[in-house]
Amino acid sequence: MDGFVLRRDDRQGAIRPALNEKPAIPGQFLQRETPTESTPVSNELPRPTGAGISKTELSESLRALDNEPPVKKKRFGWVTKKRVAIFLITLLIIVGGYFGIKIFLTSSKLFSGNIFDLLGAGATLKTDEYGRSNILVFGTSEDDPGHQGANLTDSIMIVSLDQKAKNAAMISVPRDLWVKYGEACSSGYEGRINAVYECGAGSNENERAGAEKLMSVVGDTFGIDIQYYAHVNYTVVRDSVNAVGGVTVEIDSDDPRGILDRNFDWRCKYKCYYVKWPNGPAKLNGDQALALARARNASGGYGLGGGNFDREQYQQKIIIALKDKAASAGTLANPVAVSGILDALGANVRTNFSAGEVKTLINLAGEMPSSSIKRVSLVEQGKAVLTTGNVSGQSIVRPIAGIYNFSEVKRFVRSKLTVSATNGEEPSIQVLNGSDFGGLAGKKAAELTAAGFNDVSTGDTDTDSAYGEYVWYDLSGGKKPQALTKLKSILGTSPTGTVLPGGVQSDADFVIIVGNGAN
């Protein structure tokens, strides 16, 4: 072929001709076939013997190369499994470090102790004699510019937990409840309970001293040993609800229109409604949740005829809804939501919990369904222990039994919070004195209370010799079987019947009439 030049083979061990010799030319390049008359003339170059390539074959090979698609370069040739793994590990370290620092900074404000206790199994919560852990949750408004009485606790709530049975109860304390302070405060020696925190904090605004003072007064008033407190402000309510993407609360007003309170509409120059929903589920953002938690028909409207008592019930609903949303898997898996919750808590909540105790609370929140959280009302129709009143021209809340007489309030609260001897049936028992001797009903009631029954009351009825030592009746309609079994064991007999004798009235589940034979 043109341009083909024979060269010496310089590879090691190759046979080289002598310098004065001419290189031998291979025979296949010297031999040519001479066409004869019987051989057709071809346009192809003569094919060398053994290993030649024809012009046609060469042309076809070149055309094939011209038509072959070009090899595409990989757009992401730099991406490898190793590089992806390094990137993901680095990202996890950055995110983990960010949340670690945020948790550390938040925890230093929220609770005491070692932050690494949050990674453990949790610490056992302190309890009262009934095995319950009682937390006082109260709110102030120092974060609301221009709000008068920023250190007054207009929202006070008792949250009682049973970490073994995994249940809870919530009791709202009316802010206008009239109590004795036990010391001289700016308003005197007695007044509304919402001024207790401010009195305890003093002029130097000692937050811990104020909280402990409020824990003491609430505990004495309701007969509860309170071990913990959580002090919150307006911001934590608004920001926590926004962080979890809003909450849904059931509106259940006795007004067919639902509820309306225009007390906060000035924020939008009365061109919107902050609190207006029909009865049924209402989806609330942070501002709406905060407005509902403060609504009490102060500026006209409808559906909140109970005033502060209605407000307290909606506060309980908001807390339960927020707990459910925050503990849900979707929220915990969302780093933006978790970050928002930490931001809301860090600057707006103060407690006396340790880190290990907080971990126990977190575990309880995930294990306790909303159905196990009881909302207790102190003004429930037919069972109210509080009412409204007036002291020196001031509208107040006081016990039905009389101002400063909290004996019935303590009994009622104990019946709702203590561990029941009947596995949650909560039977009501009334002991009536049908004898000629005083004090017999009280003695029998004390016996039942010592046996674990919590809702035991006493009364009088006409004397009848037929009562003997005592007779008792099951008016529960078979709905309290465990209580029935327990009473049979204590009293030693079966019920006398299911219908009370003529002239005897009671709405209790079980009625015991004590006769002269018990003297």
Side-chain angles (χ1 to χ4, degrees), residues 3-59:
F4 188 91
V5 179
L6 291 176
R7 298 185 183 277
R8 180 180 299 176
D9 189 349
D10 292 332
R11 290 175 298 179
Q12 186 176 0
I15 300 175
R16 300 181 182 179
L19 294 175
N20 58 352
E21 294 180 356
K22 294 182 180 180
I25 300 176
Q28 66 264 32
F29 292 103
L30 298 176
Q31 298 175 2
R32 294 180 181 272
E33 294 181 2
T34 304
T36 61
E37 293 180 359
S38 59
T39 303
V41 178
S42 173
N43 293 327
E44 296 180 1
L45 291 173
R47 181 185 298 273
T49 303
I53 301 177
S54 68
K55 180 179 179 182
T56 301
E57 290 174 332
L58 182 60
S59 299

Coordinates of all heavy atoms in Angstrom, one line a residue, residues 3-59:
G3 N 2.7 4.4 0.9 CA 3.1 5.0 2.2 C 3.6 3.9 3.2 O 4.0 4.3 4.2
F4 N 3.4 2.7 2.8 CA 3.9 1.6 3.8 C 5.4 1.5 3.6 O 5.9 1.2 2.6 CB 3.1 0.3 3.4 CG 3.4 -0.7 4.5 CD1 2.5 -0.9 5.5 CD2 4.5 -1.6 4.3 CE1 2.7 -1.8 6.5 CE2 4.7 -2.6 5.3 CZ 3.8 -2.7 6.4
V5 N 6.1 1.6 4.7 CA 7.5 1.5 4.7 C 7.9 0.5 5.7 O 7.5 0.4 6.8 CB 8.2 2.9 5.1 CG1 9.7 2.7 5.1 CG2 7.7 4.0 4.1
L6 N 8.8 -0.4 5.1 CA 9.3 -1.5 6.0 C 10.3 -0.9 7.0 O 11.2 -0.2 6.5 CB 9.9 -2.6 5.2 CG 8.9 -3.4 4.4 CD1 9.7 -4.5 3.5 CD2 8.0 -4.2 5.3
R7 N 10.2 -1.2 8.3 CA 11.2 -0.7 9.2 C 11.8 -1.8 10.0 O 11.2 -2.9 10.2 CB 10.5 0.3 10.2 CG 10.0 1.6 9.4 CD 9.5 2.6 10.4 NE 8.9 3.7 9.7 CZ 9.7 4.7 9.2 NH1 11.0 4.7 9.4 NH2 9.1 5.8 8.6
R8 N 13.0 -1.6 10.6 CA 13.6 -2.6 11.3 C 12.9 -2.9 12.6 O 12.4 -1.9 13.3 CB 15.1 -2.1 11.7 CG 15.9 -3.1 12.5 CD 17.2 -2.6 12.8 NE 17.9 -2.4 11.5 CZ 19.1 -1.8 11.4 NH1 19.8 -1.4 12.5 NH2 19.7 -1.7 10.3
D9 N 12.7 -4.1 13.0 CA 12.1 -4.5 14.2 C 13.1 -4.3 15.4 O 14.0 -5.0 15.4 CB 11.6 -5.9 14.1 CG 10.7 -6.3 15.3 OD1 10.6 -5.5 16.3 OD2 10.0 -7.3 15.2
D10 N 12.8 -3.3 16.2 CA 13.7 -3.0 17.3 C 13.4 -3.8 18.6 O 13.9 -3.5 19.7 CB 13.8 -1.5 17.6 CG 14.4 -0.8 16.4 OD1 15.2 -1.4 15.8 OD2 14.0 0.4 16.2
R11 N 12.4 -4.6 18.5 CA 12.0 -5.3 19.8 C 13.2 -6.2 20.2 O 13.9 -6.8 19.4 CB 10.8 -6.2 19.5 CG 9.5 -5.3 19.4 CD 8.3 -6.2 19.0 NE 8.6 -6.9 17.7 CZ 7.7 -7.7 17.2 NH1 6.6 -8.0 17.8 NH2 8.0 -8.3 16.1
Q12 N 13.3 -6.4 21.5 CA 14.4 -7.2 22.1 C 14.3 -8.6 21.6 O 13.2 -9.2 21.6 CB 14.3 -7.1 23.6 CG 15.5 -7.8 24.3 CD 15.5 -7.7 25.8 OE1 14.5 -7.1 26.3 NE2 16.4 -8.2 26.4
G13 N 15.3 -9.1 21.1 CA 15.4 -10.5 20.7 C 15.0 -10.7 19.2 O 15.0 -11.8 18.7
A14 N 14.7 -9.6 18.5 CA 14.3 -9.7 17.1 C 15.5 -9.9 16.2 O 16.6 -9.5 16.5 CB 13.6 -8.4 16.6
I15 N 15.3 -10.6 15.1 CA 16.4 -10.9 14.2 C 16.6 -9.7 13.3 O 15.7 -9.2 12.6 CB 16.1 -12.1 13.3 CG1 15.9 -13.3 14.3 CG2 17.2 -12.4 12.3 CD1 15.5 -14.6 13.6
R16 N 17.8 -9.1 13.3 CA 18.1 -7.9 12.5 C 19.1 -8.3 11.3 O 20.0 -9.1 11.5 CB 18.8 -6.8 13.3 CG 17.9 -6.4 14.5 CD 18.6 -5.3 15.2 NE 17.9 -4.9 16.4 CZ 18.3 -3.9 17.2 NH1 19.4 -3.3 17.0 NH2 17.5 -3.6 18.2
P17 N 18.8 -7.8 10.1 CA 19.8 -8.1 9.0 C 21.1 -7.3 9.2 O 21.1 -6.4 9.9 CB 19.0 -7.6 7.7 CG 18.1 -6.5 8.3 CD 17.7 -6.9 9.6
A18 N 22.1 -7.8 8.5 CA 23.4 -7.1 8.5 C 23.3 -5.7 7.9 O 22.4 -5.4 7.1 CB 24.5 -7.9 7.8
L19 N 24.2 -4.8 8.4 CA 24.1 -3.4 7.9 C 24.2 -3.3 6.4 O 23.7 -2.4 5.8 CB 25.2 -2.6 8.6 CG 25.0 -2.4 10.1 CD1 26.1 -1.7 10.7 CD2 23.7 -1.7 10.4
N20 N 25.0 -4.2 5.8 CA 25.3 -4.0 4.4 C 24.3 -4.8 3.6 O 24.4 -4.9 2.4 CB 26.7 -4.5 4.1 CG 27.0 -5.9 4.5 OD1 26.2 -6.5 5.2 ND2 28.1 -6.4 4.1
E21 N 23.3 -5.4 4.3 CA 22.3 -6.2 3.5 C 21.1 -5.3 3.3 O 20.7 -4.5 4.1 CB 21.9 -7.4 4.3 CG 23.0 -8.4 4.5 CD 22.6 -9.6 5.3 OE1 21.4 -9.6 5.7 OE2 23.4 -10.6 5.4
K22 N 20.5 -5.5 2.2 CA 19.2 -4.9 2.0 C 18.1 -5.7 2.6 O 18.1 -6.9 2.6 CB 18.9 -4.8 0.5 CG 19.9 -3.8 -0.2 CD 19.5 -3.8 -1.7 CE 20.5 -2.8 -2.4 NZ 20.2 -2.7 -3.9
P23 N 17.1 -5.0 3.2 CA 16.0 -5.8 3.8 C 15.2 -6.6 2.8 O 15.0 -6.1 1.7 CB 15.2 -4.7 4.5 CG 15.5 -3.5 3.7 CD 16.9 -3.6 3.3
A24 N 14.9 -7.8 3.2 CA 14.2 -8.7 2.3 C 12.7 -8.2 2.3 O 12.2 -7.8 3.3 CB 14.2 -10.1 2.8
I25 N 12.1 -8.2 1.1 CA 10.8 -7.8 0.9 C 9.9 -9.0 0.9 O 10.1 -10.0 0.1 CB 10.6 -7.0 -0.4 CG1 11.5 -5.8 -0.4 CG2 9.1 -6.7 -0.6 CD1 11.5 -5.0 -1.7
P26 N 8.9 -9.1 1.7 CA 8.0 -10.3 1.8 C 7.4 -10.5 0.4 O 7.1 -9.6 -0.3 CB 7.0 -9.9 2.8 CG 7.6 -8.9 3.7 CD 8.5 -8.1 2.8
G27 N 7.2 -11.8 0.2 CA 6.8 -12.1 -1.2 C 5.4 -11.7 -1.5 O 5.1 -11.4 -2.6
Q28 N 4.5 -11.5 -0.4 CA 3.1 -11.1 -0.7 C 3.1 -9.8 -1.3 O 2.0 -9.4 -1.8 CB 2.2 -11.2 0.5 CG 2.6 -10.3 1.7 CD 3.5 -11.0 2.7 OE1 4.3 -11.9 2.2 NE2 3.4 -10.6 3.9
F29 N 4.1 -8.9 -1.1 CA 4.1 -7.6 -1.7 C 4.7 -7.6 -3.1 O 4.8 -6.5 -3.7 CB 4.9 -6.6 -0.8 CG 4.1 -6.4 0.5 CD1 4.6 -7.0 1.7 CD2 3.0 -5.6 0.6 CE1 3.9 -6.8 2.9 CE2 2.4 -5.4 1.8 CZ 2.8 -6.0 2.9
L30 N 5.3 -8.7 -3.5 CA 6.0 -8.7 -4.9 C 5.1 -9.5 -5.9 O 5.2 -9.2 -7.1 CB 7.3 -9.4 -4.7 CG 8.3 -8.6 -3.8 CD1 9.6 -9.5 -3.7 CD2 8.6 -7.3 -4.3
Q31 N 4.3 -10.4 -5.4 CA 3.6 -11.2 -6.4 C 2.3 -10.5 -6.8 O 1.6 -10.0 -6.0 CB 3.2 -12.5 -5.7 CG 4.5 -13.4 -5.3 CD 4.1 -14.6 -4.5 OE1 2.9 -14.9 -4.3 NE2 5.1 -15.4 -4.1
R32 N 2.0 -10.5 -8.1 CA 0.8 -9.9 -8.6 C 0.3 -10.9 -9.7 O 1.0 -11.5 -10.4 CB 1.1 -8.5 -9.3 CG 1.5 -7.4 -8.3 CD 1.7 -6.1 -9.1 NE 2.1 -5.1 -8.2 CZ 1.3 -4.3 -7.6 NH1 0.0 -4.4 -7.7 NH2 1.8 -3.3 -6.8
E33 N -1.0 -10.9 -9.7 CA -1.6 -11.7 -10.7 C -1.9 -10.9 -12.0 O -2.3 -9.8 -11.9 CB -3.0 -12.2 -10.2 CG -2.9 -13.2 -9.0 CD -4.2 -13.7 -8.6 OE1 -5.2 -13.3 -9.2 OE2 -4.3 -14.4 -7.6
T34 N -1.5 -11.5 -13.2 CA -1.7 -10.9 -14.4 C -3.0 -11.3 -15.0 O -3.2 -12.5 -15.3 CB -0.5 -11.2 -15.4 OG1 0.7 -10.9 -14.8 CG2 -0.7 -10.5 -16.7
P35 N -3.8 -10.3 -15.3 CA -5.1 -10.7 -15.8 C -5.0 -11.3 -17.2 O -4.2 -10.9 -18.0 CB -5.9 -9.4 -15.8 CG -4.9 -8.3 -15.8 CD -3.7 -8.9 -15.1
T36 N -5.8 -12.3 -17.5 CA -5.8 -12.9 -18.8 C -7.2 -12.6 -19.4 O -8.0 -11.9 -18.8 CB -5.6 -14.4 -18.7 OG1 -6.7 -14.9 -17.9 CG2 -4.3 -14.7 -18.0
E37 N -7.4 -13.1 -20.6 CA -8.6 -12.9 -21.3 C -9.8 -13.5 -20.5 O -10.9 -13.0 -20.6 CB -8.6 -13.5 -22.7 CG -7.6 -12.7 -23.6 CD -7.5 -13.3 -25.0 OE1 -8.3 -14.3 -25.2 OE2 -6.8 -12.8 -25.8
S38 N -9.4 -14.6 -19.8 CA -10.5 -15.3 -19.1 C -10.7 -14.7 -17.7 O -11.6 -15.0 -17.0 CB -10.1 -16.8 -18.9 OG -8.9 -16.9 -18.2
T39 N -9.8 -13.7 -17.3 CA -10.0 -13.1 -16.0 C -10.6 -11.7 -16.2 O -10.0 -10.9 -16.8 CB -8.6 -13.0 -15.3 OG1 -8.0 -14.2 -15.2 CG2 -8.8 -12.3 -13.9
P40 N -11.7 -11.4 -15.6 CA -12.3 -10.1 -15.8 C -11.6 -9.0 -15.1 O -11.0 -9.2 -14.1 CB -13.7 -10.3 -15.2 CG -13.6 -11.4 -14.2 CD -12.5 -12.3 -14.8
V41 N -11.5 -7.9 -15.8 CA -10.8 -6.7 -15.2 C -11.6 -6.2 -14.1 O -12.8 -6.0 -14.2 CB -10.6 -5.6 -16.3 CG1 -9.9 -4.5 -15.7 CG2 -9.7 -6.2 -17.4
S42 N -10.9 -5.9 -13.0 CA -11.6 -5.4 -11.7 C -11.0 -4.0 -11.4 O -9.9 -3.7 -11.6 CB -11.4 -6.3 -10.6 OG -11.9 -5.8 -9.4
N43 N -11.9 -3.2 -10.8 CA -11.4 -1.9 -10.3 C -10.7 -2.0 -9.0 O -10.1 -1.0 -8.5 CB -12.6 -0.9 -10.1 CG -13.2 -0.6 -11.5 OD1 -12.5 -0.5 -12.5 ND2 -14.5 -0.4 -11.5
E44 N -10.7 -3.2 -8.4 CA -10.1 -3.4 -7.1 C -8.6 -3.5 -7.3 O -8.1 -3.9 -8.3 CB -10.6 -4.6 -6.4 CG -12.1 -4.6 -6.1 CD -12.5 -5.9 -5.4 OE1 -11.7 -6.7 -5.2 OE2 -13.7 -6.0 -5.1
L45 N -7.9 -3.1 -6.3 CA -6.4 -3.3 -6.2 C -6.2 -4.8 -6.1 O -7.0 -5.5 -5.6 CB -5.8 -2.6 -5.1 CG -5.8 -1.0 -5.1 CD1 -5.3 -0.5 -3.8 CD2 -4.9 -0.6 -6.3
P46 N -5.1 -5.2 -6.7 CA -4.8 -6.7 -6.5 C -4.7 -7.0 -5.0 O -4.1 -6.3 -4.2 CB -3.4 -6.8 -7.2 CG -3.3 -5.6 -8.1 CD -4.0 -4.5 -7.5
R47 N -5.3 -8.1 -4.7 CA -5.3 -8.6 -3.3 C -4.0 -9.3 -3.0 O -3.7 -10.3 -3.7 CB -6.5 -9.5 -3.0 CG -6.6 -10.0 -1.6 CD -7.7 -11.0 -1.5 NE -9.0 -10.5 -1.7 CZ -9.7 -9.8 -0.8 NH1 -9.3 -9.7 0.4 NH2 -10.9 -9.3 -1.2
P48 N -3.3 -8.9 -2.1 CA -2.0 -9.6 -1.7 C -2.4 -11.0 -1.3 O -3.4 -11.2 -0.6 CB -1.4 -8.8 -0.6 CG -2.0 -7.4 -0.7 CD -3.4 -7.7 -1.3
T49 N -1.4 -11.9 -1.6 CA -1.7 -13.2 -1.2 C -1.6 -13.3 0.4 O -0.6 -12.9 1.0 CB -0.6 -14.2 -1.8 OG1 -0.7 -14.0 -3.2 CG2 -0.8 -15.6 -1.4
G50 N -2.5 -13.9 0.9 CA -2.5 -14.2 2.4 C -3.3 -13.2 3.1 O -4.3 -13.6 3.8
A51 N -3.0 -11.9 3.2 CA -3.7 -11.0 4.1 C -3.9 -9.6 3.5 O -3.5 -8.6 4.0 CB -2.9 -10.8 5.4
G52 N -4.5 -9.5 2.3 CA -4.7 -8.2 1.7 C -6.1 -7.7 1.9 O -7.0 -8.5 2.3
I53 N -6.4 -6.4 1.8 CA -7.7 -5.8 1.9 C -8.0 -5.1 0.6 O -7.2 -4.3 0.1 CB -7.7 -4.8 3.1 CG1 -7.3 -5.4 4.4 CG2 -9.0 -4.1 3.2 CD1 -7.2 -4.5 5.5
S54 N -9.2 -5.3 0.1 CA -9.6 -4.7 -1.2 C -10.0 -3.3 -0.9 O -10.3 -2.9 0.2 CB -10.7 -5.5 -1.8 OG -11.9 -5.4 -1.0
K55 N -10.0 -2.5 -2.0 CA -10.5 -1.1 -2.0 C -11.9 -1.1 -1.6 O -12.3 -0.2 -0.8 CB -10.2 -0.5 -3.3 CG -10.7 1.0 -3.4 CD -10.4 1.6 -4.7 CE -10.9 3.0 -4.8 NZ -10.7 3.6 -6.2
T56 N -12.7 -2.0 -2.1 CA -14.2 -2.0 -1.7 C -14.4 -2.2 -0.3 O -15.1 -1.6 0.4 CB -14.9 -3.1 -2.6 OG1 -14.7 -2.8 -4.0 CG2 -16.4 -3.1 -2.2
E57 N -13.6 -3.2 0.3 CA -13.7 -3.5 1.7 C -13.3 -2.3 2.6 O -13.9 -2.0 3.6 CB -12.9 -4.8 2.0 CG -13.5 -6.0 1.4 CD -12.6 -7.2 1.7 OE1 -11.4 -7.0 1.8 OE2 -13.1 -8.3 1.7
L58 N -12.2 -1.7 2.1 CA -11.7 -0.5 2.9 C -12.7 0.6 2.9 O -13.0 1.2 3.9 CB -10.4 -0.1 2.3 CG -9.7 1.1 3.0 CD1 -9.4 0.8 4.5 CD2 -8.4 1.5 2.3
S59 N -13.3 0.8 1.7 CA -14.3 1.9 1.6 C -15.6 1.6 2.5 O -16.1 2.5 3.1 CB -14.8 2.1 0.1 OG -13.7 2.5 -0.7

